[in-house]
Amino acid sequence: EVQLVESGGGWVQPGGSLRLSCAASGFTFSSYSMNWVRQAPGKGLEWVSKISASSASIYYADAVMGRFTISRDNGKELLYLEMSSLRDEDTAVYYCAKEDYANGMEVWGQGTTVTVSS
Amino acid sequence: DIQMTQSPSTLSASVGDRVTITCRASQSVSRWLAWYQQKPGKAPKLLIYQASKLESGVPSRFSGSGSGTEFTLTISSLQTDDFASYYCQQYNSESRTFGQGTKVEIK
């Protein structure tokens, strides 16, 4: 069964840092691009970042550029999102999603909640 | 970045109704357009990819059409399980973007 499981969410003060992880199973992780997508409370989906299968290409939304870093470990089948200089507006459920280049984000994790508050 | 605009934001409908949601892109995305369904407290689920291709396991009452900048998601006969939020998303540009969502409510 194809599965993605996020972890690492929690409460952090503004200006703080947090690292999210996404554990993949049931597919050849090293063959697929991966994304992070977030959803603030009561709001819509917002794309955060994408990393190619080999980590050669990385993209960020303007809202997180320079503060968030996406990375992956294909040997461990793990995706990461390192978040720093966190702001109140980064409060959201963060999802990781497997992307097929032609088919969109075909598999999603259950999400992990990040709360930024003083 | 490519902006995606959905309409309407909210839609009230009854079981059995035909429902159409529109998604417009600020520039052409060819047919690199996906639709997702999301229920409260759950992760999004892929329904349609490449504008009109049905994801495996998705009921045939769902269909997608369009290309370039104008797209539609149609539910031919709304079922109780379809009351949810729906999002379009372009993947023509490496900076992916979602529409703001359409909530389908019970009338």
Side-chain angles (χ1 to χ4, degrees):
Chain A
E1 179 194 4
V2 176
Q3 195 172 13
L4 297 171
V5 179
E6 301 94 336
S7 61
W11 174 83
V12 61
Q13 291 187 324
S17 300
L18 210 56
R19 187 176 85 158
L20 306 183
S21 299
C22 169
S25 60
F27 66 99
T28 306
F29 181 71
S30 59
S31 296
Y32 292 91
S33 293
M34 296 293 295
N35 291 269
W36 286 100
V37 176
R38 68 184 181 183
Q39 187 169 37
K43 303 297 184 182
L45 301 172
E46 179 186 18
W47 173 78
V48 171
S49 183
K50 175 190 168 183
I51 186 168
S52 64
S54 66
S55 302
S57 299
I58 286 174
Y59 308 91
Y60 297 100
D62 289 345
V64 306
M65 184 86 68
R67 300 187 299 121
F68 289 13
T69 301
I70 191 172
S71 62
R72 64 191 296 163
D73 184 328
N74 285 344
K76 295 181 179 178
E77 299 188 317
L78 287 168
L79 173 72
Y80 301 105
L81 186 67
E82 192 77 46
M83 304 185 295
S84 63
S85 301
L86 282 161
R87 306 166 179 167
D88 290 351
E89 55 265 35
D90 296 318
T91 294
V93 175
Y94 285 74
Y95 297 100
C96 61
K98 167 184 178 277
E99 180 177 300
D100 181 282
Y101 79 98
N103 301 348
M105 299 184 197
E106 53 185 9
V107 180
W108 296 63
Q110 85 290 349
T112 187
T113 300
V114 172
T115 302
V116 183
S117 173
S118 53
Chain B
D1 290 356
I2 300 175
Q3 307 303 315
M4 307 300 292
T5 304
Q6 284 181 237
S7 60
S9 296
T10 306
L11 188 160
S12 296
S14 302
V15 171
D17 284 353
R18 182 180 180 87
V19 166
T20 299
I21 299 168
T22 298
C23 177
R24 290 186 173 87
S26 60
Q27 64 190 75
S28 176
V29 298
S30 186
R31 294 182 62 83
W32 301 117
L33 190 286
W35 290 96
Y36 302 87
Q37 177 192 65
Q38 187 182 34
K39 296 181 179 178
K42 301 294 187 182
K45 171 189 172 185
L46 177 65
L47 297 176
I48 302 280
Y49 60 94
Q50 290 182 43
S52 62
K53 297 183 178 181
L54 202 65
E55 174 71 345
S56 176
V58 174
S60 59
R61 63 181 179 273
F62 290 92
S63 63
S65 65
S67 65
T69 62
E70 295 264 343
F71 302 88
T72 59
L73 172 70
T74 299
I75 309 172
S76 61
S77 179
L78 197 66
Q79 301 301 302
T80 303
D81 191 51
D82 303 336
F83 290 97
S85 293
Y86 294 85
Y87 296 89
C88 62
Q89 178 240 326
Q90 66 80 20
Y91 52 108
N92 182 68
S93 161
E94 291 294 354
S95 287
R96 303 333 197 188
T97 42
F98 289 88
Q100 81 277 16
T102 296
K103 185 176 183 180
V104 177
E105 299 180 328
I106 300 173
K107 191 171 185 179

